[in-house]
Every structure is written in structure tokens, then in C-alpha cells.
Amino acid sequence: ASTPPRGTALAVASSVPVGQALAFTNPADGNPAWVVHPTGNRFVAFSAVCTHLGCPVQYEPSTVEFICPCHGGVYDARNGQVIQGPPPGPLAAIAVQVVNGEIRVY
Ligand code: FES
């Protein structure tokens, strides 16, 4: 018997092509979040809650960035780091892994 995988399954990995992102609700805290597929085998996930004043950030696939609509904060969607604007720190990272072709968060 195999133990069921840990974490929460979000989607089939192949449903999020390279360069795209998927919005989800973080099961750990109920807040909006994004999982991003920046390159080949790599998936990363971040809280969507802007570290400035908490607006939900939007994903911009043309630049692989998160844009905050409230005050123009911009984050690198590959690593959550601030690129410009008022946010004082990076978006909170969420642990993510592909298991048996499914994106899972922890
Ligand atoms: Fe995001 Fe101000 S709340 S930049």
C-alpha cells in the first residue's frame, strides 16, 4: 500500500504551460496565491497578497511579473522579489512540488 501524497493538489501540471500562472486559494491561510511555471520543470508559488498594503497582485505573462493594481508595485514572478514600487519586501513563497504530474502545495 502506498501512502497518499502530502499537501494539496492544485491542478495537473500540464494545464499550466511554461510562462503561465494559475491563481489558487492557499489552503494554509485562505489567501489568494499564484503558482507560476517559469521554465521547463520548475514551478514556484507565492502569496498574492502585496507586501505593501495587501492588495491582491495580478500575473503578467508577457514579463513574468506580478503587478499590484493599487500602487504600482511590481514583483519578479520567478522569485517573488520586488522590482519596483512601494512594496517593502518579497511576496511570501509557498512550497510547491510536482508529484505524479500534479502540482501540489504544502
Ligand atoms: Fe500593492 Fe500598495 S498594496 S503596491
Side-chain angles (χ1 to χ4, degrees):
S2 61
T3 50
R6 296 186 310 112
T8 303
L10 294 183
V12 174
S14 59
S15 70
V16 185
V18 171
Q20 298 299 311
L22 178 73
F24 68 100
T25 300
N26 185 355
D29 60 14
N31 284 325
W34 289 99
V35 60
V36 185
H37 190 181
T39 56
N41 295 327
R42 197 167 140 73
F43 285 82
V44 291
F46 300 97
S47 168
V49 178
C50 183
T51 60
H52 181 221
L53 295 176
C55 291
V57 299
Q58 297 300 310
Y59 181 63
E60 175 48 60
S62 67
T63 52
V64 195
E65 290 170 349
F66 295 114
I67 312 289
C68 181
C70 289
H71 315 101
V74 180
Y75 300 85
D76 189 330
R78 299 170 187 86
N79 55 30
Q81 297 294 320
V82 178
I83 292 175
Q84 66 179 63
L91 294 172
I94 297 167
V96 60
Q97 205 174 356
V98 174
V99 181
N100 297 331
E102 278 185 326
I103 305 167
R104 303 188 77 89
V105 292
Y106 299 90

